């Protein structure tokens, strides 16, 4: 049964076992990849055996999960920690079991080719707003490698140990209360400027109301996110993609995305306005279209110069 969860009686109190079976083939790594903030992410690792390890902080407590595809249409999971039962219950959502990729029938040739390459790509949802929002804030106006380093440093220092047999250096994301009390100099040491630090702390103060946004219609939730000081349309879109599984949340304002879409579909770079116009016929699947390009390996963005060095705020 599509999206069904079968929880097995654990042989030990330390682990919860569950299985999600899909109506067709499933690619869990492609679905979950947007949750990974760099190869050193303390909350997301991929083992040598291909197993996906993820940590999260749920209302019932922390969890470490090991997720593996056991057959073309089946995903198995083991979870440890006080949040394990809740994690198992929401695993179908995380894996996109209720997302329907067949609902998208693109006419644009490159997007259609990408869909043929990755017909089973699903958009999952974590339902953990703060865990999606804070990394997005860290990524504002800086290169990905810079923000990944900031996330790694802050979570490693202020997050909690991952429960269960997690790989070394994995941590559970800090709670909203912890984010609120991180001193300004610790943000500075992690190369986070005062503006982004204030936004993070402000979002953490509103965590309780933020976590309720998943129950709202997409446009209302998006509007609530952009009403937060320091959270613009790009940050809200990046959050909605992950927390709500919003297949239409296009990251307008991204430094690279419009160029990638332009090069991939037209053979030359374009700006945000042209990108929005070009992808308009693909509503409500504009984010899905972008993900298909990425997963299928058809996203293009030629580089014409060296990468800018990381600006080290802690040395200033």
């Amino acid at each position: 049964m599509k999206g069904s969860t079968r929880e097995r009686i654990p042989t030990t109190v330390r682990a919860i076992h569950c299985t999600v079976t899909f109506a067709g083939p499933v690619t869990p790594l492609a679905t979950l990849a947007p949750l990974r903030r760099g190869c050193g992410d303390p909350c997301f690792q991929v083992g040598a055996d291909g197993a996906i390890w993820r940590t999260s902080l749920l209302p019932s407590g922390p969890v470490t999960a090991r997720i593996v595809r056991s057959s073309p249409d089946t995903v198995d999971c083991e979870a440890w920690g006080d949040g394990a039962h809740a994690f198992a219950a929401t695993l179908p959502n995380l894996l996109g079991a209720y997302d329907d990729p067949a609902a998208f029938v693109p006419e644009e040739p490159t997007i259609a080719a990408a869909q043929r390459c990755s017909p089973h790509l699903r958009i999952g949802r974590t339902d953990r707003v703060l865990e999606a929002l804070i990394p997005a804030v860290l990524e504002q106006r800086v290169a990905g490698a810079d923000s990944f380093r900031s996330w790694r440093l802050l979570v490693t220092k202020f997050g909690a140990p991952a429960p269960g047999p997690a790989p070394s250096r994995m941590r559970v994301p800090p709670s909203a209360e912890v984010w609120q009390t991180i001193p300004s100099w610790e943000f500075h040491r992690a190369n986070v400027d005062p503006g982004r630090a204030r936004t993070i702390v402000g979002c953490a103060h509103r965590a309780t109301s933020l976590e309720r946004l998943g129950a709202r219609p997409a446009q209302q939730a998006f509007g609530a996110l952009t009403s937060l000081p320091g959270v613009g349309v790009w940050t809200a879109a990046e959050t909605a993609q992950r927390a709500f599984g919003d297949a239409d949340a296009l990251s307008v304002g991204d430094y690279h995305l419009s160029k990638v879409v332009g090069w991939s579909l037209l053979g030359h770079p374009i700006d945000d306005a042209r990108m929005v116009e070009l992808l308009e016929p693909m509503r409500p699947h504009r984010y899905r279209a972008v993900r298909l390009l990425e997963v299928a390996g058809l996203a293009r963005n030629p580089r014409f110069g060296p990468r800018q060095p990381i600006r080290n705020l802690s040395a200033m």
Side-chain angles (χ1 to χ4, degrees), residues 205-256:
H205 275 289
R206 297 168 174 81
T208 301
S209 58
L210 286 175
E211 299 301 344
R212 294 195 291 262
L213 291 181
R216 294 190 186 184
Q219 286 301 316
Q220 287 186 18
F222 195 89
L225 286 171
T226 55
S227 71
L228 297 169
V231 176
V233 294
W234 180 88
T235 306
E238 293 283 309
T239 303
Q241 293 160 10
R242 295 162 174 82
F244 310 142
D246 188 342
D248 195 53
L250 183 64
S251 299
V252 177
D254 189 276
Y255 182 76
H256 297 290

Side-chain angles (χ1 to χ4, degrees), residues 127-151:
D127 290 302
R128 306 304 304 146
V129 178
L130 200 66
E131 289 181 13
L133 179 55
I134 288 179
V137 173
L138 289 174
E139 292 173 9
Q140 292 175 348
R141 303 181 301 278
V142 298
D146 306 0
S147 66
F148 296 159
R149 176 179 177 273
S150 298
W151 172 252

Side-chain angles (χ1 to χ4, degrees), residues 70-129:
S70 54
S71 72
D73 64 349
T74 305
V75 176
D76 288 337
C77 175
E78 293 178 277
W80 297 264
D82 291 341
H85 282 281
F87 186 89
T90 59
L91 184 62
N93 278 341
L94 182 68
L95 296 173
Y98 305 113
D99 177 47
D100 185 9
F104 183 43
V105 185
E107 296 182 2
E108 200 287 326
T110 304
I111 301 295
Q115 189 181 52
R116 289 193 296 271
C117 291
S118 305
H120 308 296
L121 174 69
R122 291 175 171 85
I123 308 298
R125 60 181 294 161
T126 67
D127 290 302
R128 306 304 304 146
V129 178

Side-chain angles (χ1 to χ4, degrees), residues 149 188-189 191 309-316:
R149 176 179 177 273
H188 189 73
R189 288 174 179 172
N191 229 31
I310 296 175
R311 184 186 181 198
N312 187 358
L313 296 177
S314 62
M316 299 176 65

Side-chain angles (χ1 to χ4, degrees), residues 154-224:
L154 290 167
V155 173
T156 297
K157 185 161 188 177
F158 296 102
S168 61
R169 297 187 296 278
M170 288 201 76
R171 307 282 286 179
V172 175
S175 66
E177 292 75 21
V178 171
W179 283 114
Q180 293 173 42
T181 59
I182 294 178
S184 59
W185 61 84
E186 293 290 357
F187 281 111
H188 189 73
R189 288 174 179 172
N191 229 31
V192 180
D193 61 81
R196 286 181 294 153
R198 284 193 299 270
T199 299
I200 289 171
V201 173
C203 291
H205 275 289
R206 297 168 174 81
T208 301
S209 58
L210 286 175
E211 299 301 344
R212 294 195 291 262
L213 291 181
R216 294 190 186 184
Q219 286 301 316
Q220 287 186 18
F222 195 89

Side-chain angles (χ1 to χ4, degrees), residues 1-23:
M1 176 180 177
K2 178 182 177 182
S4 64
T5 302
R6 183 175 70 256
E7 190 168 314
R8 300 191 292 267
I9 297 175
T11 57
T12 165
V13 296
R14 297 179 183 176
I16 297 298
H17 300 257
C18 62
T19 297
V20 181
T21 303
F22 292 77

